[in-house]
């Protein structure tokens, strides 16, 4: 599945430094534009609804009453074609594999795999370095 040019991505992460690191990882991919970021579950649903992003990079432990694993199906409900990458520092691989709304799971220690994972999910050829 190939996506149109200028797809955008959201970062839902309450650590502002890590939000910035994610943006840096995506910077070399000109076909993905930064839509924005949210630090909590409450804001993220409406923001995603308004942009229908290609990818959402979602942390599990975010501000608000809903954690990332519970937020993922709510995001898919408002933006069904959005691919969700659960990116967390905690070992939630089993839980993520059981949640159909999660398209990929990565540990924050594997940040180097983030862009290739997003490209794969969107059917984009990797960008030459």
């Amino acid at each position: 599945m190939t996506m149109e040019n200028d797809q955008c991505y959201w970062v839902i992460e309450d650590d502002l430094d890590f939000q910035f690191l994610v943006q840096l990882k995506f910077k070399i991919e000109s076909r993905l534009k930064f839509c924005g970021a949210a630090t909590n579950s409450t804001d993220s649903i409406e923001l995603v609804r308004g942009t229908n992003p290609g990818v959402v990079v979602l942390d599990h432990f975010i501000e608000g009453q809903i954690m990332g694993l519970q937020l993922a199906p709510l995001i898919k409900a408002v933006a069904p074609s959005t691919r969700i990458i659960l990116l967390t520092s905690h070992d939630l691989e089993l839980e993520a594999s059981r949640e159909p709304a999660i398209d990929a799971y990565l540990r924050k220690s594997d940040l180097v795999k983030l862009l290739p994972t997003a490209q794969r999910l969107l059917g984009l050829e990797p960008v030459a370095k």
Side-chain angles (χ1 to χ4, degrees), residues 12 38-46 58 62-68 71 74:
I12 303 173
T39 59
N40 63 66
S41 55
T42 307
D43 294 342
S44 59
I45 297 287
E46 289 309 311
L58 175 63
I62 54 176
E63 296 173 5
Q65 296 180 356
I66 301 173
M67 297 289 99
L71 183 59
L74 301 175

Side-chain angles (χ1 to χ4, degrees), residues 14-85:
D14 58 359
D15 179 334
L16 298 180
D17 291 333
F18 207 81
Q19 277 186 18
F20 181 71
L21 285 175
V22 170
Q23 291 175 52
L24 283 177
K25 287 293 178 187
F26 277 85
K27 200 163 192 79
I28 65 166
E29 177 52 87
S30 62
R31 298 167 291 183
L32 283 173
K33 305 296 181 203
F34 178 65
C35 297
T39 59
N40 63 66
S41 55
T42 307
D43 294 342
S44 59
I45 297 287
E46 289 309 311
L47 296 171
V48 168
R49 180 192 318 267
T51 56
N52 196 28
V55 172
V56 168
V57 179
L58 175 63
D59 185 18
H60 178 66
F61 291 99
I62 54 176
E63 296 173 5
Q65 296 180 356
I66 301 173
M67 297 289 99
L69 276 170
Q70 293 77 35
L71 183 59
L74 301 175
I75 291 171
K76 286 283 188 166
V78 300
S81 63
T82 296
R83 301 294 179 236
I84 299 175
I85 302 171

Side-chain angles (χ1 to χ4, degrees), residues 11 13 36 46 57 85 91 94 109 129:
V11 181
E13 165 69 62
E46 289 309 311
V57 179
I85 302 171
D91 185 6
L94 181 60
S109 58
K129 293 183 181 179

